[in-house]
């Protein structure tokens, strides 16, 4: 069978993942699947030649949760503060959680519920050769190919973003060579997996088949724990050959090819939804290429909206296994850095859509029934998954995240009132679609108050990059105001006139002087996290209040409240530096820094915020840099995949390209599966990451990688743009297009060895900014199309002014 590239996707090697080995993680092969998705339905393909599995998921299918009814325990806040004022920190830390426990409060989180497995089994007459499984990211097509004797076979699959259908085709090079047995059933985790299928699913699962003329259907359904049905209908359309149906499966033999179409439903009623889906499947075209063309017309432009090129053509045809083997040698290949950037965008695009839910930590491809850390965790992880969106040109796909939190505002207000006696909103770090009450009833989560403020920056960034003033007025500012109202009531004015924040948690760290003597480093424990004046609290509040004031003046709202917010800003204490020359994580003398920890949230003023830069405050910038250095040098074995991604972003923002690249290299060597899913920690215990007994799939690091690469190539703030601010030596030449400024877009190409750089800026709105070029670039010139100009503002700096619709080309060196 010839390689006819039916998908119409990327050219060979570019934007493709190629594996030469089947999924083989014992008992949990779904972890090594190749994923396809349309933002709401996910299909993960794994298995091998004789038995392939397609794990099918739906973003709205969760189970097992039970929201708790919060009692009013707001009286505990003054009690906690009295304890802390008396130095009884351990007792104070646990007081709120213990009070809720004594009152019988319980809230249970949901977890994603796998919808079904499609099993494809076929006879094998001779051994396989040239086995390949491939993901084409430009089209979202997963294909599996191999040869047996003189015959070649292929299974190809994608999830249509246009028709909301999973499309799979079985192909053979010889007429009449396709044979398969097809089955829909509850997802089977494998021998090593625990726990197993939920009782509600196991007892209610039903499969039936029907052969009507030339069309075969398999119906599958089961009940969730809420009593509602979920399920799928498979339609089998063979070309030639015969099709027979058993009680719960369909067999095809002697066919030239077979097209499989699957539609799914959730929160429904099986008999009604089966009939509806059968009608919809009957109306769908029967040509794989036609369905792919319709899907690719929607998916492709999203994926191709931005591009980065770091690798040369000699790297383009490597398999994932080859990339990983090279990464294990210690140098991260530029091609792997580029591929992981593209793959993270692919996972994001495939895992969410504007009318869906925010992308969870497992994407749409979770194969566990009780997946650890599968909730939306907003003490860094949710935010990391969205850091890349604005500069990467995917701002519209952040809308589901905004809507998710907005729809739960009344519960968040109830949380704030009953837990702390405050106005505004308290967003627990962890939430799920059906539970916005605190279900992690532990001090490290209950006593952390920064989620709403940290999420608010994403709302404001959306406005900055889109210029959508109705969004600013109607959605961003009301959300930000609710976060500020909480701080108004929660913060306390101390005797010196400065604000106090307590209890105050720096996620998820414990001050060094409160760590037990026998503590084993490398664990995830947090024995005494509640302190006073965590630096992160005030960094978030400072940014929130600054942007709230600015945005309110732009929108002409909240004029009567701006004075209060300005007074609060003036009362926020200055950042402090410890005896090591590092910025303190807690701005209170009773709490000592502890560098051995995976979280590094107190670097927030440098990244993701823009408050502290080398240009604005060189001394404080150096102190932040020292805090980062000590975190990585002293505690490399305490890191995780997402913390390496976070560190890479921070080093990129600090213009330390080699260190940023080293963090990505450490991530690749420790926490990449062969399908390039990132896992929380290294399961092989090579000493680079936490020694945790499980290594759960966590795609925050996949998406943090995307942001890190973008930060290394382009710094963007409302008034400043830096080209190639953190370029490592290994990335001597490359190009980028489709990346975004706050008011337009930018494309650029470079060759550092030749001192060449060329960039084209396109203004969509009025643009005024300072553009900084790298020091290695030669003398620069500019050329405008439309009303635009560039004026020198010092070495390698230009003041750019552009009218909407204009273009400006900057060329440095001999470009």
């Amino acid at each position: 069978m010839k390689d006819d590239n039916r998908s119409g996707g990327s050219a060979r090697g570019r934007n493709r993942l190629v594996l030469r080995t089947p999924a083989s993680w014992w008992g949990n092969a779904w972890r090594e699947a190749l994923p396809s998705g349309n933002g709401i339905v996910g299909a993960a393909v794994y298995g091998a030649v004789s038995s392939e599995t397609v794990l099918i998921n739906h973003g709205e299918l969760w189970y097992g949760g039970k929201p708790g009814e919060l009692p009013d325990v707001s009286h505990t806040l003054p009690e906690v503060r009295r304890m802390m004022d008396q130095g009884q920190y351990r007792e104070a830390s646990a007081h709120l959680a213990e009070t809720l426990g004594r009152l019988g409060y319980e809230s249970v989180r949901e977890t994603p519920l796998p919808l079904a497995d499609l099993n494809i089994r076929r006879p094998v007459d001779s051994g396989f050769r040239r086995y390949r499984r491939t993901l084409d990211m430009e089209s979202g097509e997963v294909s599996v190919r191999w040869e047996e004797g003189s015959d070649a076979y292929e299974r190809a699959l994608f999830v249509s973003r246009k028709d909301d259908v999973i499309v799979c085709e079985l192909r053979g090079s010889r007429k009449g060579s396709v044979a398969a047995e097809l089955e829909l059933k509850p997802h089977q985790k494998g021998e090593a997996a625990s726990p197993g299928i939920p009782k509600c699913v196991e007892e209610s699962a039903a499969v039936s088949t029907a052969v009507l003329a030339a069309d075969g259907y398999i119906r599958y359904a089961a009940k969730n724990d809420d009593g509602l049905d979920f399920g799928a209908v498979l339609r089998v359309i063979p070309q030639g050959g015969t099709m027979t149906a058993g009680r719960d499966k369909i067999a095809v033999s002697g066919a030239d090819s077979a097209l499989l179409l699957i539609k799914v439903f959730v929160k429904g009623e099986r008999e009604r939804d089966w009939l509806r889906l059968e009608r919809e499947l009957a109306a769908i075209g029967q040509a794989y290429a036609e369905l792919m063309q319709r899907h690719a017309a929607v998916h492709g432009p999203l994926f191709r909206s931005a591009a980065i090129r770091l690798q040369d053509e000699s790297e383009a045809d490597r398999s994932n296994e080859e990339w990983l083997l090279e990464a294990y040698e210690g140098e991260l290949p530029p091609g792997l850095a580029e591929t992981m950037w593209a793959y993270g965008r692919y996972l994001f695009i495939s895992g969410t859509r504007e009318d869906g839910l925010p992308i969870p930590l497992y994407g749409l491809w979770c194969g566990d029934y009780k997946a650890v850390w599968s909730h939306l965790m907003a003490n860094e992880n949710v935010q990391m998954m969205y850091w890349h969106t604005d500069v990467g040109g995917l701002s519209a796909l952040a809308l589901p995240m905004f809507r998710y939190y907005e729809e739960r505002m009344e519960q968040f207000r109830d949380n704030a009132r009953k837990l702390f006696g405050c106005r505004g909103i308290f967003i627990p770090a962890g939430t799920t679609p059906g539970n916005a009450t605190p279900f992690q009833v532990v001090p490290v989560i209950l006593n952390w108050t920064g989620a709403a403020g940290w999420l608010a920056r994403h709302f404001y960034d959306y406005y900055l990059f889109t210029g959508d003033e109705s969004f600013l007025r109607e959605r961003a500012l009301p959300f930000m105001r609710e976060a500020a109202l909480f701080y108004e009531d929660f913060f306390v004015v101390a005797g010196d006139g400065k604000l106090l924040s307590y209890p105050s948690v720096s996620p998820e760290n414990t001050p060094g002087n409160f760590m037990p003597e026998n503590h084993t480093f490398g664990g995830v424990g947090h024995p005494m996290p509640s302190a006073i004046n965590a630096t992160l609290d005030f960094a978030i509040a400072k940014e929130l209040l600054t942007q709230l004031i600015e945005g309110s003046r732009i929108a002409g709202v909240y004029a009567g409240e701006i004075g209060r917010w300005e007074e609060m800003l003036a009362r926020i204490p200055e950042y402090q530096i410890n005896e090591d020359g590092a910025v303190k994580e807690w701005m209170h003398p009773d709490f000592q820094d502890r560098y051995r920890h995976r979280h590094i949230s107190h670097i927030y003023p440098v990244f993701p915020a823009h408050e502290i830069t080398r240009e604005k405050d060189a001394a404080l910038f150096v102190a932040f840099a020292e805090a980062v250095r000590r975190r990585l040098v002293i505690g490399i074995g305490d890191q995780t995949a997402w913390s390496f991604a976070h560190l890479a972003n921070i080093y990129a923002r600090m213009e330390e390209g080699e260190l940023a690249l080293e963090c990505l290299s450490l991530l690749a060597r420790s926490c990449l599966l062969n399908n390039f899913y990132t896992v929380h920690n290294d399961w092989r215990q090579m000493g680079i990451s936490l020694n945790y007994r499980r290594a759960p799939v966590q795609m925050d690091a996949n998406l943090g990688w995307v942001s890190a690469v973008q930060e290394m190539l382009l710094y963007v703030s409302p008034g400043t743009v830096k080209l190639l601010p953190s370029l490592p030596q290994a990335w001597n030449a490359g190009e980028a297009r489709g990346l975004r400024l706050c008011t337009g877009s930018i494309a650029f190409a470079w060759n550092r060895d030749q001192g060449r750089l060329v960039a084209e800026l396109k203004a969509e709105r009025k643009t005024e900014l300072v553009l900084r070029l790298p020091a290695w670039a030669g003398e620069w010139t500019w050329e405008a199309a439309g009303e635009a100009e560039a004026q020198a503002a010092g070495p390698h700096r230009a003041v750019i002014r552009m009218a909407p619709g204009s273009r400006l080309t900057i060329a440095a060196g001999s470009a």
Side-chain angles (χ1 to χ4, degrees):
M1 181 172 54
K2 66 180 181 180
D3 184 357
D4 57 5
N5 193 26
R6 295 192 195 194
S7 71
S10 56
R12 179 175 174 82
R14 284 285 187 198
N15 295 326
R16 286 182 180 238
L17 302 187
V18 179
L19 291 101
R20 298 189 176 197
T21 53
S24 57
W25 189 293
W26 182 74
N28 269 319
W30 67 268
R31 295 163 59 95
E32 297 181 353
L34 288 179
S36 185
N38 67 359
I40 191 71
V41 175
V45 181
Y46 62 93
V49 167
S50 65
S51 180
E52 193 88 83
T53 298
V54 179
L55 164 63
I56 301 169
N57 281 334
H58 191 287
E60 296 178 0
L61 186 58
W62 294 63
Y63 86 109
K66 183 181 179 182
E69 181 61 41
L70 266 177
D72 189 337
V73 291
S74 56
H75 64 277
T76 62
L77 181 59
E79 294 167 357
V80 165
R81 287 175 171 167
R82 280 196 298 272
M83 294 178 191
M84 299 185 87
D85 290 341
Q86 295 167 10
Q88 298 173 327
Y89 294 118
R90 294 186 189 277
E91 297 84 353
S93 180
H95 187 54
L96 174 57
E98 289 177 350
T99 301
L100 288 170
R102 283 195 301 270
L103 294 174
Y105 172 75
E106 183 182 16
S107 188
V108 182
R109 73 180 180 95
E110 304 163 286
T111 58
L113 178 59
L115 190 145
D117 280 349
L118 166 65
N119 291 130
I120 305 171
R121 296 184 177 86
R122 60 176 298 279
V124 177
D125 297 323
S126 60
F128 72 89
R129 293 179 294 120
R130 298 185 178 89
Y131 176 87
R132 298 287 188 276
R133 52 191 183 116
T134 302
L135 168 62
D136 185 330
M137 293 183 276
E138 288 195 31
S139 66
E141 181 185 62
V142 175
S143 64
V144 181
R145 302 181 184 197
W146 71 95
E147 296 176 7
E148 290 181 30
S150 59
D151 295 332
Y153 297 91
E154 180 180 17
R155 293 186 285 252
L157 175 145
F158 65 94
V159 185
S160 174
R161 210 171 182 103
K162 178 68 175 179
D163 296 303
D164 273 330
V165 62
I166 301 171
V167 183
C168 179
E169 189 166 64
L170 315 181
R171 304 164 184 160
S173 59
R174 176 173 50 84
K175 289 180 67 65
S177 62
V178 171
E181 187 177 81
L182 308 167
E183 182 180 23
L184 280 177
K185 63 180 184 180
H187 170 60
Q188 306 294 310
K189 290 181 56 183
E191 295 177 11
S194 179
I197 300 171
K199 188 176 181 180
C200 61
V201 175
E202 194 168 34
E203 293 181 349
S204 64
V207 181
S208 65
T209 64
V211 177
L212 304 173
D215 297 330
Y217 291 90
I218 299 180
R219 298 170 164 183
Y220 167 76
K223 284 192 182 298
N224 203 343
D225 60 352
D226 60 3
L228 297 176
D229 286 336
F230 63 89
V233 175
L234 162 66
R235 183 185 181 192
V236 184
I237 309 171
Q239 296 298 312
T242 60
M243 178 168 60
T244 58
R247 184 178 63 84
D248 58 359
K249 58 178 67 72
I250 286 177
V252 173
S253 62
D256 301 337
S257 64
L259 182 67
L260 315 181
L261 303 176
I262 303 173
K263 274 185 167 281
V264 306
F265 71 93
V266 297
K267 302 177 182 179
E269 189 277 315
R270 63 186 67 190
E271 295 293 341
R272 181 188 67 232
D273 285 298
W274 279 341
L275 291 174
R276 174 178 61 84
L277 295 184
E278 285 180 16
R279 288 194 298 269
E280 292 176 7
L281 288 169
I284 291 178
Q286 298 184 17
Y288 183 95
E290 175 189 344
L291 293 168
M292 167 56 76
Q293 185 177 24
R294 288 167 55 82
H295 159 71
V298 183
H299 172 94
L302 276 172
F303 181 81
R304 292 190 296 270
S305 62
I308 288 173
R309 295 289 179 258
L310 302 173
Q311 63 181 313
D312 59 38
E313 293 305 317
S314 66
E315 296 182 300
D317 290 327
R318 295 185 187 179
S319 67
N320 285 26
E321 295 91 346
E322 290 171 314
W323 282 126
L324 285 172
L325 286 172
E326 184 168 347
Y328 295 156
E329 293 298 304
E331 299 292 335
L332 186 72
L336 179 54
E338 174 194 317
T339 300
M340 287 293 294
W341 175 84
Y343 187 47
R345 281 174 57 87
Y346 170 81
L347 292 171
F348 184 75
I349 291 165
S350 302
T352 188
R353 67 187 190 192
E354 289 186 48
D355 61 346
L357 288 166
I359 184 169
L361 282 166
Y362 288 75
L364 296 177
W365 306 284
C366 181
D368 274 346
Y369 281 109
K370 280 292 184 182
V372 63
W373 303 325
S374 56
H375 48 280
L376 284 91
M377 191 68 174
N379 67 354
E380 173 165 350
N381 312 86
V382 168
Q383 293 89 332
M384 180 178 290
M385 298 182 88
Y386 286 85
W387 283 340
H388 67 95
T389 53
D390 295 309
V391 171
L394 296 175
S395 294
L397 291 183
L399 291 169
M401 187 262 284
F402 302 147
R403 186 173 61 251
Y404 173 88
Y405 287 104
E406 289 170 316
E407 289 174 349
R408 292 154 179 79
M409 291 293 280
E410 195 51 49
Q411 182 60 61
F412 297 151
R413 294 187 187 100
D414 191 64
N415 294 343
R417 183 172 59 252
K418 290 181 176 177
L419 291 175
F420 302 106
C422 294
R423 296 170 298 162
I425 55 176
F426 172 78
I427 299 179
T431 61
T432 62
N435 194 352
T437 64
F439 49 73
Q440 297 163 291
V441 187
V442 289
V444 71
I445 300 300
L446 281 177
N447 294 339
W448 185 64
T449 58
W454 195 338
L455 290 165
R457 80 173 322 272
H458 289 269
F459 282 76
Y460 200 70
D461 274 355
Y462 179 89
Y463 156 69
L464 289 175
F465 278 82
T466 64
D468 187 340
E469 291 199 15
S470 64
F471 177 88
L472 173 69
R473 183 179 302 105
E474 298 165 15
R475 299 180 66 181
L477 292 174
F479 184 92
M480 296 164 71
R481 178 178 177 271
E482 294 278 357
L485 280 173
F486 180 88
Y487 284 139
E488 285 186 45
D489 290 353
F490 186 79
F491 289 158
V492 176
V493 179
D496 62 357
K498 295 295 185 179
L499 295 179
L500 282 176
S501 176
Y502 72 130
S504 182
V505 171
S506 188
E508 296 172 6
N509 204 358
T510 287
N513 54 318
F514 285 90
M515 290 301 299
E517 291 184 6
N518 61 350
H519 176 73
T520 301
F521 288 104
V524 296
H526 18 71
M528 212 301 288
S530 305
I532 299 174
N533 282 11
T535 296
L536 176 64
D537 280 1
F538 289 126
I540 290 173
K542 189 181 293 187
E543 181 185 52
L544 171 70
L545 293 168
T546 300
Q547 293 181 335
L548 185 53
I549 292 166
E550 176 186 77
S552 296
R553 285 176 171 150
I554 292 170
V557 297
Y558 305 144
E561 301 180 63
I562 289 176
R564 294 201 316 274
W565 297 333
E566 289 177 326
E567 182 182 353
M568 286 179 67
L569 264 177
R571 292 184 183 275
I572 290 177
E574 300 297 319
Y575 302 126
Q576 298 177 12
I577 301 174
N578 66 21
E579 62 278 7
D580 297 323
V583 162
K584 295 185 68 173
E585 192 162 353
W586 299 273
M587 298 190 292
H588 189 279
D590 287 356
F591 305 96
Q592 297 174 6
D593 284 294
R594 175 188 171 216
Y595 301 122
R596 296 202 61 174
H597 202 264
R598 60 201 176 277
H599 277 268
I600 190 163
S601 307
H602 63 300
I603 312 302
Y604 189 100
V606 175
F607 177 89
H610 303 279
E611 180 190 353
I612 302 298
T613 66
R614 195 186 305 274
E615 295 88 348
K616 291 178 183 177
D617 191 329
L620 197 52
F621 182 86
V622 169
F624 275 100
E626 180 62 16
V628 178
R629 187 190 72 82
R630 287 178 175 271
R631 205 62 145 224
L632 187 57
V633 171
I634 294 174
I636 190 172
D638 303 299
Q639 302 309 312
T640 63
W642 57 259
S643 73
F644 281 128
H646 193 176
L647 285 161
N649 278 274
I650 291 170
Y651 277 128
R653 185 64 64 85
M654 290 181 165
E655 302 181 23
E656 296 281 0
E658 302 305 328
L659 292 173
L661 184 62
E662 176 62 11
C663 288
L664 296 182
S665 179
L666 289 167
L667 196 169
R669 301 207 301 272
S670 61
C671 298
L672 275 192
L673 299 182
N674 64 4
N675 62 348
F676 290 168
Y677 285 176
T678 52
V679 293
H680 175 268
N681 54 279
D682 189 351
W683 66 101
R684 296 158 298 197
Q685 301 186 35
M686 296 292 280
I688 294 179
S689 73
L690 281 176
N691 182 11
Y692 184 56
R693 64 187 180 88
R694 291 179 282 184
V697 170
Q698 303 278 266
M699 293 180 180
D700 45 4
N702 279 111
L703 298 176
W705 186 301
V706 179
S707 175
V709 170
Q710 291 172 184
E711 286 280 345
M712 293 164 79
L713 299 180
L714 183 69
Y715 169 85
V716 177
S717 71
T720 303
V721 171
K722 300 177 184 178
L723 277 176
L724 306 175
S726 192
L727 191 70
Q729 288 294 326
W731 299 359
N732 266 337
E735 59 181 301
R737 62 167 178 79
L739 300 183
R740 305 288 299 177
L741 315 175
C742 290
T743 54
S745 63
I746 187 168
F748 51 96
W750 72 93
N751 188 310
R752 182 164 48 192
D753 289 342
Q754 300 173 8
R756 293 191 295 108
L757 172 65
V758 60
E760 182 182 66
L761 291 75
K762 299 179 183 179
E764 296 168 5
R765 305 192 306 280
K766 181 181 178 181
T767 298
E768 292 186 3
L769 56 86
V770 174
L771 177 68
R772 197 190 80 179
L773 306 177
W776 52 260
E779 294 295 321
W780 59 273
T781 59
W782 61 275
E783 182 178 340
E787 189 179 336
E789 65 174 359
Q791 293 181 342
H796 311 292
R797 294 175 187 269
V799 174
I800 304 297
R801 295 183 179 88
M802 303 176 68
S806 65
R807 299 188 183 194
L808 185 70
T809 300
I810 301 284
S814 56

